[in-house]
């Protein structure tokens, strides 16, 4: 058998009388002892989280789980209305909206901060003043390049996103306040004087900073937003099964269609 | 504004300075205090689980999260290989395999048991003998109709699924061992004498029975299997990012293609 | 190499200097000589259509391509709005609504008619009276069983679907008017006297009958509706790129959300 | 009714007795008279193609419809195996692989050429020498920037993609050989001397150039590759229904899994 026939994996394997997951015996050591959020963290990183890391991680997932009638929730409800026999299709349709515009902020913020931090060298002894200085450089270079800083600003919570201070507090309580959260918080402090207006640090951005501090793979940060959103979509579909709004949304859009000549 | 313009929801809403989720203040009462599995349960049922219900529910999710190189994991890895710019597409592709053959057992078992239990009337005082009698009726009528009983049998764990006794034990420890688990367990006891061979109660079936006992909507049981599997798919994609097997699977299939004349 | 390593296919294969598709040389014999609709038919059946079969098949695809602001079109537009970087995600989200309620009529009608025809024996010499008699049996047994006849009725075209007579005419012109169309047409003639009201034969139902008469695989009829709809979804996304309505639909739904207590 | 309630569209609309598509009466003027490929072009551009444009467009779709056991075909077959009740899910899973690596070449090439041509000013009087000069600039600047030129090179057809000369010939026959094809062809002529090795112009790249010459929206070029691929996926699923390879692929991958310790 040639080399290429072998497909390595560290996730799971099973024999006739046992199932291994992440090197543990699933039945003896995992079921009833490892929570679902904990397992998700472990699967993504191959490291078991500490209690503090886990509390922060679950807070992030909870903060991202649902935002009401987002385009992704509407897409899932429309798809369920059209194909009620396929719950998996409705959830998949909802997740497919998890791209650059909505769920992308979490990943964009984590990646943006990680790139800036990589350029700072050793930040382990940074004071608040050091972070402010670093943040001024970040804001200045973004401003000079005409780039938006991800995670800054919110269409509804213009005066401040209520999730943000709570997430910072939990990170400090649990000892998982790392450089990404520190730089993000400092950006929040210094940008008003530099940009001439105060924008809130939004919850999706804090989530991205916290996931990056947790050492989760940057290329998968969007994946955690999608995991969180799956729970929210199940909530929407539960409502759609009991008290559907899909038909009313469809009717409303269809009867307000305005036909324009394709040659106009 | 006419009635149909209004889209009721009990999930979430927000104003400029607060976010409500399930009637709670997200920042003050939920973040850091409600775990992710707990939130998923709450979103689906609009009821907060008790600690025992939650431990059982998370055990179910954990038991369903990953089964190695399933067709759904292969589909997700193939899709990531082909379109690495779209994590959401790879996860959605994986979830789309969550249909009748693989992930469907959980839902099928829960639904099957619920239908049989509905016909039994009040089971609150049932003894083990009563459950065995009920199970004999269920097995007999399935046998007469030539129907398979969902949740019975496993292609690998032929002598017994190691998850099954642990799940039963956790349900008893937590006081959430309800009629669906009771009937399923009794089917496990009585079917060998009736069918002439002993089949294991499989883990996906126990999961379905446990979710039904938890009062989760029967029409959404597949949704929880999908939520669990999302965590597993993230694990597969994390491996694909670090140590991909997608290219080798593709090469292996492609070079073993055998062209047959379409007219044969 | 064991048997199971070989993956037979009759679709395509290639060597360094040639590409074969369906047993033809793609470059020499297919490109510029076989149309896209023709290829789709050939791929699905491994038979090249006659010109008459092809004209009918393309008429079916055209009839199914778009129906305006359907739930599937809305889902695709919402997904594009949320994730504009992933056209494939928006199209996939739209197709995922191709289930039992909307696009399913085509498949349901074809399957329904095929089952009834299989019970009729040889219909090659059937007169219009014979078909009427067969249709009366079909309608009577559906009525007795309390079943709806798929393809009958339309929410908008209550007096008659304008596509239906044209599709019947094309089938006759091209000599592809087979037993499925004959039985469906007869159902249209006899049902008013039997059900007490006249329902139109809808276009999706005629499409299903025509595809079944063409010998296309019954288990794939939904697939052709999906192929047709892909073209329609591209039209919607082209509009979304130039003159988006996604943001307005989202805003409209979100601002008419009505929060209800989850405990109500 | 406020402005935002109106959702303009030029695709379709219907009343109780007529259906309009693209400003035409669907039943009277479209069915049986407009082919499916023609309709797809019309939907995307709001312009009806000339016969020459249409022949070229269908040749492009045909060239992109299938490439055998690609990752997207494998994903669709895996998904069908796992969830045979949902054809739409299997097709959607296949399309979700239509991203940057596989189907993206068509879009990337069209966009790349369009950007370079925009910088050339009026090319209507360009001679072959002018195009060669322009191509030398394009290759030189790509080389200087260390960028790959999309559409150049093929893993199998190293000596030349057999589709490419045929596509160029059809474009010339039909009078639709525009600046994108001209620049792409010139790149094929000049790059060997500049890069020190001859790479084939691949078929996906020619397809992108031809679609761009046809005036199709650059932001939707991937959409046409997806439309084409939908036909190919239907072919794969038809095989999977008759002579499945999905189970064998799954078994082969699963039994060659190699468990590695997550801590290695």
């Amino acid at each position: 058998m040639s080399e290429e026939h072998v497909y390595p994996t560290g996730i799971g394997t099973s024999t006739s009388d046992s199932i291994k997951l992440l090197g543990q015996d699933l039945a003896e050591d995992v079921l009833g002892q490892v929570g679902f959020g904990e397992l998700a963290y472990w699967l993504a990183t191959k490291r078991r989280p500490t209690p503090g890391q886990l509390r922060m991680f679950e807070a992030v997932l909870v903060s991202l789980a649902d935002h009401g009638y987002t385009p992704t929730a509407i897409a899932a409800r429309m798809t369920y209305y059209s194909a009620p026999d396929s719950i998996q299709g409705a959830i998949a349709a909802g997740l497919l909206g998890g791209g650059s515009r909505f769920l992308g902020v979490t990943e964009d913020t984590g990646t943006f901060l990680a790139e800036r931090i990589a350029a700072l060298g050793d930040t382990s002894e940074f004071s608040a003043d050091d972070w402010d200085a670093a943040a001024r450089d970040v804001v200045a270079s973004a401003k000079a390049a005409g780039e938006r800083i991800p995670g800054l600003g919110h269409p509804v919570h213009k005066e401040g996103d209520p999730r943000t201070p709570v997430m910072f507090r939990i990170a400090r309580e649990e000892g998982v306040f790392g450089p990404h959260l520190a730089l993000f918080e400092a950006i929040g402090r210094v940008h008003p004087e530099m940009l001439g207006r105060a924008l809130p640090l939004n919850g999706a951005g804090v989530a991205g900073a916290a996931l990056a501090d947790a050492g989760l793979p940057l290329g998968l940060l969007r994946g955690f937003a999608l995991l969180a959103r799956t729970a929210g979509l199940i909530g929407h579909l539960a409502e759609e099964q009991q008290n559907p709004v899909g038909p009313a949304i469809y009717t409303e859009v269809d009867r307000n269609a305005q036909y324009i000549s394709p040659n106009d």
Side-chain angles (χ1 to χ4, degrees), chain A:
Chain A
M1 191 158 54
S2 71
E3 182 64 24
E4 74 195 296
H5 278 232
V6 179
Y7 307 114
T9 178
I11 296 178
T13 186
S14 59
T15 63
S16 67
D17 62 355
S18 82
I19 302 175
K20 268 201 158 173
L21 189 67
L22 295 161
Q24 314 296 308
D25 185 294
L26 174 64
E28 296 307 315
D29 303 327
V30 181
L31 291 181
Q33 300 174 57
V34 175
F36 178 59
E38 189 172 1
L39 181 69
Y41 187 111
W42 201 345
L43 280 164
T45 62
K46 304 279 168 81
R47 287 183 290 105
R48 188 169 187 170
T50 64
Q53 288 172 328
L54 179 58
R55 182 166 170 243
M56 188 74 217
F57 180 64
E58 300 222 39
V60 168
L61 293 182
V62 166
S63 78
L64 296 170
D66 196 73
H67 295 160
Y69 283 120
T70 53
T72 63
I74 297 170
R77 287 180 182 250
M78 286 288 107
T79 303
Y80 180 77
Y81 173 41
S82 190
D85 44 315
S86 171
I87 291 279
Q88 70 269 27
I91 291 177
L95 293 181
L96 288 170
S100 54
R101 193 166 288 151
F102 276 77
L103 293 192
V105 175
T106 296
E107 184 163 304
D108 292 346
T109 306
T111 304
F112 176 88
L113 295 170
E115 287 169 357
R116 300 313 180 275
I117 287 165
L120 292 177
D122 182 4
T123 62
S124 59
E125 303 292 324
F126 264 34
S127 65
D129 282 351
D130 293 332
W131 282 118
D132 280 4
R136 278 193 199 93
D137 286 347
V138 167
V139 176
S141 74
K143 188 180 175 184
E147 287 172 15
R148 291 184 63 252
I149 296 173
L152 207 55
H154 195 284
V156 175
H157 308 299
K158 293 179 201 294
E159 304 297 318
D161 187 319
R163 294 166 293 189
T164 301
V166 178
M167 300 284 276
F168 282 127
R169 194 198 70 218
I170 295 170
R172 287 197 163 94
E173 284 171 7
E174 301 297 346
V176 296
F177 192 95
H180 300 82
L181 283 167
L183 179 58
F184 194 55
E185 193 181 46
I187 289 171
R189 284 193 299 266
V190 307
H191 81 271
E193 65 188 271
M194 302 179 69
L195 301 183
R197 59 183 180 144
L199 295 165
L201 297 176
N202 65 46
V206 185
L211 292 172
D213 271 343
L216 296 169
L218 292 174
L220 267 183
L221 294 194
R222 192 183 294 184
F224 299 103
L226 294 165
L227 174 62
R229 189 52 55 96
T230 304
L233 291 170
I234 289 173
H236 283 276
L237 295 176
E239 290 197 338
E240 207 63 20
Q241 289 187 336
Q242 295 201 326
N243 185 19
V245 303
I249 294 174
Y250 162 50
T251 301
E252 178 66 16
V253 173
D254 191 46
R255 73 186 180 83
N256 289 311
Q258 183 184 53
Y259 190 68
I260 54 172
S261 164
N263 305 315
D264 286 353

